[in-house]
C-alpha cells in the first residue's frame, strides 16, 4: 500500500512539473495536476484501482482490502511465524490498531521527502 501511495505521489509531482515546464493549459492530465486538484488525482487513481480489480482481473472487490475489511470467519494459524488463528474480534482489533498506526507511518513517510533538500548547507546540518 505504501509503495502504491509513493508511486502516485511521484507520478503526480512529475506530471505537474511537466505541465508547468511546457506551459500547457488544456488537457485532462494538466487539469488533474493543477494546484488544489491532488484529491481529484488520488480519487481517480483509486477508481482506476477498483476498476482494474473488478473488471480487468475479474476478482471480487473484497480482496481489494487485503482481507482486513471482509474476510473468512477465522484465519488459520501460521505455526512457522508463531501466529495463532484470528477470530472476528481479533481481526477488528488488528484493523483498529492499523488505523491508529497509520498517521505515524505516513508522517515518517512524508518526512523522508521533506528532509531530502538540495541545499548542501542544510543537508550538513541535518
Amino acid at each position: 500500500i505504501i509503495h502504491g501511495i509513493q508511486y502516485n505521489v511521484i507520478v503526480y509531482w512529475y506530471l505537474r512539473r511537466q505541465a508547468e515546464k511546457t506551459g500547457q493549459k488544456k488537457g485532462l492530465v494538466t487539469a488533474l495536476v493543477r494546484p488544489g486538484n491532488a484529491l481529484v488525482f488520488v480519487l481517480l487513481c483509486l477508481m482506476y484501482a477498483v476498476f482494474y480489480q473488478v473488471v480487468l482481473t475479474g476478482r471480487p472487490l473484497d480482496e481489494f482490502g487485503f482481507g482486513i475489511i471482509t474476510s473468512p470467519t477465522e484465519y488459520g494459524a501460521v505455526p512457522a511465524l508463531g501466529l495463532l488463528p484470528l477470530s472476528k474480534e481479533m481481526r477488528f482489533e488488528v484493523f483498529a490498531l492499523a488505523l491508529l498506526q497509520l498517521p505515524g507511518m505516513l508522517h515518517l513517510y512524508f518526512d523522508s521527502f521533506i528532509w531530502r533538500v538540495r541545499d548542501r548547507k542544510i543537508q550538513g546540518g541535518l
Side-chain angles (χ1 to χ4, degrees):
I1 293 174
I2 294 296
H3 175 71
I5 293 170
Q6 178 185 24
Y7 181 77
N8 286 333
V9 168
I10 290 169
V11 168
Y12 174 81
W13 284 105
Y14 173 78
L15 292 173
R16 185 166 171 182
R17 277 193 301 263
Q18 290 300 107
E20 288 171 355
K21 253 195 244 182
T22 62
Q24 187 175 355
K25 302 289 182 196
K26 294 183 179 182
L28 176 64
V29 173
T30 305
L32 286 175
V33 296
R34 281 192 192 119
N37 285 352
L39 181 60
V40 175
F41 183 82
V42 169
L43 289 175
L44 189 64
C45 290
L46 182 61
M47 286 174 29
Y48 172 75
V50 169
F51 173 79
Y52 185 87
Q53 174 73 18
V54 175
V55 177
L56 299 181
T57 66
R59 305 295 299 173
L61 191 57
D62 63 345
E63 289 181 3
F64 191 68
F66 302 102
I68 293 174
I69 298 168
T70 59
S71 59
T73 318
E74 184 176 306
Y75 279 111
V78 183
L81 299 176
L83 297 174
L84 300 173
L86 292 178
S87 66
K88 188 175 184 178
E89 292 79 22
M90 292 172 75
R91 281 194 322 272
F92 177 76
E93 290 174 14
V94 169
F95 181 68
L97 287 172
L99 284 178
L100 290 173
Q101 294 297 321
L102 184 64
M105 289 171 44
L106 286 173
H107 173 79
L108 293 173
Y109 173 73
F110 288 125
D111 270 359
S112 70
F113 287 108
I114 293 169
W115 294 114
R116 281 191 209 162
V117 292
R118 292 189 176 134
D119 187 352
R120 295 283 179 198
K121 292 178 188 175
I122 295 174
Q123 284 180 355
L126 295 175

